[in-house]
Amino acid sequence: MRNEAALHEILQGLGVADEEIQADTRLQADLGLDSTEITTLELELERRFGVRIDLWSATDFSVADLDVLIEGR
């Protein structure tokens, strides 16, 4: 994952412990991010990477999914 360090930093800023963050970790099912945290994550991804990702879709994105979407911008 090319953006692993930045994604870890963002998620830690949301209160997620580093040991909980793995490539296959799902944002809602595994981390239990709430609506405020999801919105904050969307805004931070746009600010840092210039990419808009709709985290409210039916997909429960994994950390690896976010990395792929960031790379594909």
Side-chain angles (χ1 to χ4, degrees), residues 11-63:
L11 291 169
Q12 287 174 330
L14 295 173
V16 177
D18 190 51
E19 60 271 4
E20 292 182 84
I21 306 168
Q22 303 296 322
D24 62 346
T25 301
R26 301 248 167 235
L27 300 177
Q28 294 172 338
D30 298 326
L31 299 180
L33 297 185
D34 64 25
S35 60
T36 302
E37 293 164 329
I38 293 289
T39 300
T40 301
L41 178 56
E42 279 184 334
L43 294 170
E44 191 62 20
L45 292 172
E46 185 173 2
R47 186 184 74 77
R48 287 196 190 200
F49 302 107
V51 62
R52 297 194 79 188
I53 301 172
D54 179 11
L55 299 178
W56 295 101
S57 70
T59 304
D60 186 8
F61 292 99
S62 70
V63 174

